[in-house]
Amino acid sequence: MADPATAAGPAAVDFEGTWHRNAGRSAGVAEALVARGHPREVADERSAAPYIQRWERTEGGDVGVWTVTTFKTDGVTPRRTLVYPLGDWEEEYEGASTLFGGATTSPGEPQRQTVPRHTSWESEPQAVGGLAHVTTSATLLGHEESRRFLADDGSMVLRRMYRETGSEEAAVSDEVFERQ
């Protein structure tokens, strides 16, 4: 018999709420940042820094579409709000990005970048309900797949698989988020 959550599809996956990363339960985050070209000291610092997001179902949109607000390290000030539509889409950002790369055109003038992305729901054997929210990104640095799913203990796992352009090896990290 099929799991009722899998049969219900993305509507049964409840990411609703505010989540904070538990750095002590996460694995491979600093190594994945080093693979993206960050110095080890910076990677260690960023992997231990507070990372807080609020997930909200997008009103009037397709089932399984989420609006995500990421906060600055103070946990209060929004840094960005992004809608994750299903299918192909683009994310624009300005200047350097920890995950995407980027540059400045001249001192003090950030360059605008666009990252092609694709979001879908895919099977995930480790997920409660058997589904993961998956976003792939083709960045200046390489290719990333981000799989978010709920674990048995109620946490949200963000599994990132990053492969540098031209490489067959992937750096894998698991970030564990707990609902506040």
Side-chain angles (χ1 to χ4, degrees):
M1 182 172 184
D3 180 330
T6 303
V13 178
D14 183 16
F15 291 151
E16 192 80 33
T18 300
W19 299 81
H20 72 277
R21 178 176 60 196
N22 182 329
R25 292 183 59 202
S26 298
V29 179
E31 292 78 7
L33 292 172
V34 168
R36 287 179 173 83
H38 296 282
R40 183 64 197 213
E41 183 178 302
V42 171
D44 287 343
E45 193 175 289
R46 288 186 179 167
S47 67
Y51 186 10
I52 300 169
Q53 292 186 322
R54 182 176 58 238
W55 284 67
E56 301 169 288
R57 291 188 190 277
T58 303
E59 291 186 32
D62 293 331
V63 171
V65 174
W66 291 90
T67 300
V68 181
T69 301
T70 302
F71 295 90
K72 292 184 178 184
T73 56
D74 65 8
V76 177
T77 308
R79 185 169 53 86
R80 75 173 186 179
T81 298
L82 191 62
V83 174
Y84 284 81
L86 298 176
D88 294 330
W89 56 287
E90 293 181 338
E91 179 179 353
E92 289 189 7
Y93 69 97
E94 198 169 278
S97 164
T98 300
L99 298 178
F100 301 152
T104 57
T105 51
S106 62
E109 292 184 35
Q111 183 177 349
R112 206 146 184 70
Q113 306 287 334
T114 301
V115 176
R117 304 186 87 182
H118 180 89
T119 300
S120 60
W121 288 91
E122 297 181 12
S123 177
E124 173 54 58
Q126 293 182 320
V128 170
L131 290 175
H133 181 268
V134 179
T135 301
T136 58
S137 307
T139 76
L140 293 171
L141 301 174
H143 179 82
E144 179 180 272
E145 177 182 282
S146 299
R147 302 177 73 80
R148 292 175 174 89
F149 59 90
L150 296 176
D152 288 333
D153 65 359
S155 64
M156 178 196 301
V157 176
L158 166 54
R159 178 166 297 142
R160 295 185 198 267
M161 291 166 274
Y162 166 74
R163 191 179 69 253
E164 187 177 359
T165 302
S167 175
E168 293 299 316
E169 281 190 47
V172 180
S173 63
D174 280 350
E175 297 178 60
V176 178
F177 289 78
E178 297 167 345
R179 208 181 309 245
Q180 291 185 326

